[in-house]
Amino acid sequence: MSYFDAASGAPLHPVARQALLASLDEGWADPSRLYREGRRARMLLDAAREAAAEALGCRPDELTFTSSGTRAVHSGIAGATGGRRRVGRHLIVSAVEHSSVLHSAELFEVTEVPVDRTGAVSVQSYVDALRPDTALACLQSANHEVGTVQPVAEVAAACRAAGVPLLVDAAQSLGWGPVEGEWSLLTGSAHKWGGPSGVGLLAVRKGVRFSPQGPADERESGRAPGFENLPAIVAAAASLRAVRAEAAQEAPRLRELTERIRARVPRLVPDVDVVGDPERRLPGIVTFSCLYVDGETLLHELDRAGFSVSSGSSCTSSTLTPSHVLKAMGVLSEGNVRVSLPPGTPAEEVDRFLEVLPEAVAAVREKLGAPTPSAVVREDALVVDALGKRCPIPVIELAKVIGDVPVGGTVRVLSDDEAARLDIPAWCEMREQEYVGEEPADRGSAYVVRRIS
């Protein structure tokens, strides 16, 4: 089985395993105690903090270990806004932030900064969003679904000039290098770089107003209550140092493999949209969407072929709404596949994936009755009733009949699936047809498409 979902959770690094097993014997005592076992545990905790702080580019006393990356984000936003409660309760976030940031932001007045079709924000959009009552700005270092790297240093400089702290969610990028720029707060998650799950990092620069929320606790400067999971912390710090040492050699190799996927998938599979920035992106992530494909079914086909990948598609059993990242980018969501290669992935496995993918996509399209070319002209306007049918059926039905209207004719697609609002315009752009717009209907909405070629 080839595991191609490292962006969700990387396999445990061998160094992390070794450090975890060793610290289970040495680091079980309370590091706050003064007896021998406690002092030994304190030495391990201090060494882990120094190693992790060096990797983040901060001071050891600026770094807190939390129970997860999500907990780090929640604590960081709560503490930063608590420290600036007299300024106001306005937050700035990008539209493609991780759900942990977006859920925390729901408690405040929020300005959501849009992204372009590559998933990147503009620095000017953050500048324009700044207000006198802005308590905090948030921006991920790189996107978890499409790999696009954000202009963190430039946004941090703009925020600093306005006196507003910037929190950076660096979960996806920390394994590849430190985050540049004068950020104020930074979070990370160990299982993203090959450390054990259950360890998060929260760095708060000296001088940043920060007021921990909730009951006070004497551990971790009051920012992360509860007994430290010392063996996991030691393993997280050790693996971060290890993957950083390997990054200089591994990053170019994985970048070449993902570039191979980006270049070959459109040639091997028709009607595919490769998304994300082609240049400013993480080394191991490549994402593409396939027209006329049910994302969940495609993932099952690939799983049977021996490949573990993930999807931001709306066509999954857990949700009937498109990925908020793909939606914000305005790109196709149906049949979405994210390939995220863990360090050490052999090139042969990537080549085998490229051999398997076309057959898997073709099999799914055949099951769903994907369209075949048609040159029959019948009417100047057609109505497709796709009410009650979920992604990707509305788009498949549209594609089947677009050739049945003359150039200049229109097709109205009736649909009550939220994904259609995103996928029909994306289909029009891919197939060089005109998306006229959305109209109200008795049920759902009517999406009007004009044939121009």
Side-chain angles (χ1 to χ4, degrees):
M1 193 74 180
S2 298
Y3 182 74
F4 284 2
D5 194 23
S8 294
L12 193 66
H13 194 282
V15 169
R17 184 182 300 276
Q18 295 170 4
L20 182 64
L21 294 175
S23 55
L24 285 172
D25 293 331
E26 298 292 327
W28 51 267
D30 187 342
S32 67
R33 302 307 178 192
L34 298 179
Y35 42 72
R36 179 181 303 172
E37 293 85 356
R39 294 197 305 272
R40 185 182 298 124
R42 169 56 62 179
M43 290 176 61
L44 288 173
L45 180 60
D46 290 346
R49 196 184 311 276
E50 290 178 5
E54 181 182 4
L56 267 63
C58 67
R59 292 169 35 165
D61 58 353
E62 295 174 332
L63 179 61
T64 298
F65 292 110
T66 68
S67 58
S68 68
T70 295
R71 181 73 263 172
V73 167
H74 291 175
S75 298
I77 292 177
T81 53
R84 287 171 55 82
R85 57 185 175 274
R86 293 183 179 179
V87 173
R89 292 181 59 79
H90 176 240
L91 261 64
I92 304 172
V93 302
S94 82
V96 294
E97 294 298 311
H98 189 270
S99 59
S100 60
V101 174
L102 298 180
H103 290 331
S104 289
E106 291 174 356
L107 302 174
F108 303 90
E109 182 183 354
V110 180
T111 296
E112 192 173 276
V113 172
V115 296
D116 61 21
R117 286 186 65 85
T118 71
V121 303
S122 72
V123 178
Q124 188 60 46
S125 63
Y126 267 78
V127 173
D128 294 342
L130 290 166
R131 301 184 341 197
D133 63 339
T134 301
L136 179 68
C138 302
L139 179 63
Q140 59 190 194
S141 56
N143 187 259
H144 49 289
E145 287 193 28
V146 300
T148 297
V149 174
Q150 302 289 1
V152 171
E154 294 87 345
V155 171
C159 290
R160 178 174 287 269
V164 174
L166 176 69
L167 182 148
V168 179
D169 171 16
Q172 285 297 340
S173 71
L174 274 180
W176 300 110
V179 177
E180 298 180 355
E182 297 181 292
W183 47 265
S184 302
L185 303 96
L186 185 141
T187 64
S189 187
H191 75 279
K192 298 288 189 177
W193 65 70
S197 59
V199 179
L201 306 180
L202 170 60
V204 182
R205 296 283 198 193
K206 292 295 182 182
V208 175
R209 291 185 177 274
F210 193 91
S211 177
Q213 304 299 293
D217 192 274
E218 68 275 10
R219 298 182 185 274
E220 292 298 305
S221 303
R223 295 174 181 171
F227 200 96
E228 297 93 343
N229 185 352
L230 187 53
I233 288 172
V234 171
S239 58
L240 181 55
R241 173 177 285 181
V243 297
R244 284 286 187 83
E246 299 164 356
Q249 180 176 355
E250 191 65 11
R253 196 183 70 85
L254 288 187
R255 194 176 296 279
E256 190 278 328
L257 291 179
T258 53
E259 184 58 38
R260 187 182 304 181
I261 297 173
R262 289 181 64 91
R264 291 184 60 187
V265 164
R267 297 201 298 264
L268 294 170
V269 181
D271 299 318
V272 166
D273 186 15
V274 181
V275 301
D277 194 295
E279 300 294 335
R280 289 179 56 85
R281 58 186 175 85
L282 292 177
I285 298 178
V286 56
T287 305
F288 54 89
S289 299
C290 307
L291 272 175
Y292 322 131
V293 168
D294 179 316
E296 183 180 11
T297 304
L298 178 57
L299 263 58
H300 286 321
E301 287 286 339
L302 292 172
D303 183 52
R304 282 195 290 269
F307 293 95
S308 301
V309 299
S310 63
S311 174
S313 174
S314 60
C315 314
T316 67
S317 57
S318 60
T319 177
L320 291 176
T321 59
S323 152
H324 73 278
V325 171
L326 301 177
K327 187 175 182 179
M329 294 167 61
V331 298
L332 186 71
S333 72
E334 67 182 59
N336 179 260
V337 175
R338 179 186 68 181
V339 174
S340 48
L341 306 176
T345 299
E348 293 77 14
E349 291 188 15
V350 172
D351 290 336
R352 190 169 69 86
F353 173 78
L354 292 170
E355 292 175 2
V356 166
L357 180 66
E359 183 178 346
V361 173
V364 175
R365 285 175 172 167
E366 183 178 1
K367 290 178 183 178
L368 294 173
T372 55
S374 172
V376 179
V377 178
R378 297 174 182 164
E379 303 179 44
D380 291 340
L382 287 177
V383 176
V384 173
D385 186 351
L387 293 168
K389 299 177 181 178
R390 299 303 179 188
C391 161
I393 300 302
V395 177
I396 288 177
E397 295 301 320
L398 166 62
K400 285 181 177 180
V401 302
I402 192 68
D404 292 350
V405 298
V407 173
T410 61
V411 178
R412 297 176 78 250
V413 183
L414 303 179
S415 177
D416 52 6
D417 182 13
E418 176 66 21
R421 182 170 285 112
L422 174 64
D423 289 343
I424 290 178
W427 178 90
C428 290
E429 181 163 335
M430 290 180 65
R431 303 308 299 267
E432 298 182 341
Q433 306 297 341
E434 180 186 353
Y435 178 64
V436 178
E438 180 180 349
E439 298 176 351
D442 292 339
R443 285 180 54 204
S445 298
Y447 302 94
V448 182
V449 176
R450 177 175 289 109
R451 181 184 177 189
I452 60 175
S453 64

